Amino acid sequence: MIDQAKILLLVEDVSVLSALRFSLSIEGFEIAEWIGMGDSPSVAAALVIDERYGGDALAALAGLKRKGCCAPAIVLATNPTAQLRARVAAANAELIEKPLLGDELSSAIRAILKTRKAA
């Protein structure tokens, strides 16, 4: 595992969630479970949120922040609009466009963890 850093996946599509869980596990990340009663979001070193999570990923992210979650976030989106890009930037999150290509997501997570560790 990468320094035992837990990555919290907030993805409602079961097939996408399974694929992300599998690929990130192979990359050495520990995946935190949070489906109402699993790990607290505060255990996460980073969040990966699908744009459709909870109907509005950024509203869900704001709710987590109000509850004390300070993990950096990556928002996954297909064909993001300028408005979504602006909202992601305003939330101090990173946007990665789907479909995911190569190791873009794992590289972004590593960069977040490295930056966080240095701070």
Side-chain angles (χ1 to χ4, degrees), residues 3 5 8 10 13 17 23 28 33 42-47 75 83 90 96 105 108-109 117 119:
D3 293 333
L8 182 59
L10 301 171
D13 183 306
L17 178 62
S23 65
E33 297 295 326
S42 64
V43 304
L47 307 172
V75 177
Q83 179 184 19
I96 295 182
L105 180 57
I109 293 170
K117 198 175 209 181

Side-chain angles (χ1 to χ4, degrees), residues 75-100:
V75 177
L76 304 177
T78 304
N79 297 321
T81 62
Q83 179 184 19
L84 179 61
R85 289 177 187 279
R87 289 182 66 211
V88 169
N92 199 29
E94 184 173 338
L95 177 69
I96 295 182
E97 290 189 49
K98 297 186 288 185
L100 300 174

Side-chain angles (χ1 to χ4, degrees), residues 22-53:
F22 176 76
S23 65
L24 291 174
S25 294
I26 294 229
E27 291 280 341
F29 294 103
E30 182 177 352
I31 306 304
E33 297 295 326
W34 190 59
I35 307 172
M37 62 170 135
D39 290 333
S40 163
S42 64
V43 304
L47 307 172
V48 176
I49 308 173
D50 184 76
E51 68 179 317
R52 295 184 190 118
Y53 181 79

